[in-house]
Amino acid sequence: MITDRDLPQPWRVVASPIDQDSATQLDAVAGLKTGIEDPVSWDLIENVETRRRLMLRMGFDDTGVVITGVYVPGPDALGIGELRNLPLAAIETAVRSRKAHAKTTISAAVMAGPDAHEGPLGNPSGPDDSRFYARLALRYLKVAASSPRPATDLARAEGVTPRTVQRWTARARELGLLPPGRPGRSS
């Protein structure tokens, strides 16, 4: 399923997912069969400036979430120039990133335990102290939701240097407890 946050401007979600009967009909027209082992969703999006609507079939492959089909409803033809400008790669990347973020957050919450946000963080007992790094990951994500410089702000709150937090978050990413960082950004 696609959310408005997955879409670049000026696109918006109209329906995500579309109703199951319509999805089944689209799959049938395309000669596709879906079963429980192949979860997919058809999502209707719209460019608010041009009013162009697209239906995207989202599925999975070895790399994660992928767009497995595109349907253009309506009477207007889709020109090659317009086709080139469809933000399909950006949408696919945003959905993958959101799913990865959710997966890592759940993993970190399970490993951190119920008291993840209580008391000072302390120091890891070693490079494989998964509980420490899970607690760090949850705190980092909480700070990152409202701060442009989460490592600096978390370091200040925990009484350590920003470099220490950056080192810790790098290890948390290696352990799969934080999603990949944004290239070129240092916080």
Side-chain angles (χ1 to χ4, degrees), residues 107-128:
S107 295
V110 168
M111 293 175 83
D115 62 346
H117 295 286
E118 295 177 14
L121 196 54
N123 289 304
S125 62
D128 295 323

Side-chain angles (χ1 to χ4, degrees), residues 102-116 134-135 137-138 141 177:
K103 182 180 176 182
T104 57
T105 302
I106 290 168
S107 295
V110 168
M111 293 175 83
D115 62 346
R135 291 177 69 222
L138 292 176
L141 291 170
L177 298 169

Side-chain angles (χ1 to χ4, degrees), residues 2 7 11 18 22-23 25-27 29-32 40-46 52-59 66-74 76-79 82-92:
I2 297 174
L7 301 175
W11 291 88
I18 66 170
S22 297
Q25 289 174 1
L26 282 170
D27 280 348
V29 167
L32 302 169
V40 298
S41 73
W42 278 96
D43 303 286
L44 178 61
I45 64 173
E46 175 183 60
R52 167 66 74 194
R53 287 186 167 198
L54 294 177
M55 296 180 91
L56 302 178
R57 185 177 191 266
M58 304 300 292
V66 292
I67 296 173
T68 60
V70 177
Y71 175 73
V72 182
D76 297 333
L78 182 66
E82 188 179 2
L83 181 61
R84 277 192 207 115
N85 291 326
L86 295 178
L88 301 179
I91 293 169
E92 198 173 82

Side-chain angles (χ1 to χ4, degrees), residues 1-181:
M1 293 195 324
I2 297 174
T3 68
D4 282 327
R5 291 185 311 167
D6 299 327
L7 301 175
Q9 291 295 325
W11 291 88
R12 71 176 183 94
V13 172
V14 176
S16 179
I18 66 170
D19 67 274
Q20 189 57 46
D21 290 339
S22 297
T24 301
Q25 289 174 1
L26 282 170
D27 280 348
V29 167
L32 302 169
K33 293 186 182 194
T34 59
I36 202 80
E37 70 284 345
D38 182 28
V40 298
S41 73
W42 278 96
D43 303 286
L44 178 61
I45 64 173
E46 175 183 60
N47 182 313
V48 296
E49 293 174 354
T50 65
R51 307 315 260 179
R52 167 66 74 194
R53 287 186 167 198
L54 294 177
M55 296 180 91
L56 302 178
R57 185 177 191 266
M58 304 300 292
F60 295 93
D61 71 5
D62 296 343
T63 62
V65 177
V66 292
I67 296 173
T68 60
V70 177
Y71 175 73
V72 182
D76 297 333
L78 182 66
I80 192 70
E82 188 179 2
L83 181 61
R84 277 192 207 115
N85 291 326
L86 295 178
L88 301 179
I91 293 169
E92 198 173 82
T93 299
V95 172
R96 281 185 186 173
S97 177
R98 181 173 48 86
K99 298 273 187 195
H101 186 272
K103 182 180 176 182
T104 57
T105 302
I106 290 168
S107 295
V110 168
M111 293 175 83
D115 62 346
H117 295 286
E118 295 177 14
L121 196 54
N123 289 304
S125 62
D128 295 323
D129 185 350
S130 58
R131 186 166 189 283
F132 170 83
Y133 288 108
R135 291 177 69 222
L136 166 81
L138 292 176
R139 291 182 188 197
Y140 181 86
L141 291 170
K142 185 176 181 181
V143 171
S146 62
S147 170
R149 304 203 40 95
T152 301
D153 293 343
L154 184 58
R156 189 175 304 120
E158 295 296 333
V160 297
T161 67
R163 180 66 191 124
T164 297
V165 171
Q166 291 168 347
R167 200 172 54 251
W168 288 345
T169 57
R171 181 63 184 145
R173 290 183 206 290
E174 290 171 3
L175 294 171
L177 298 169
L178 279 173

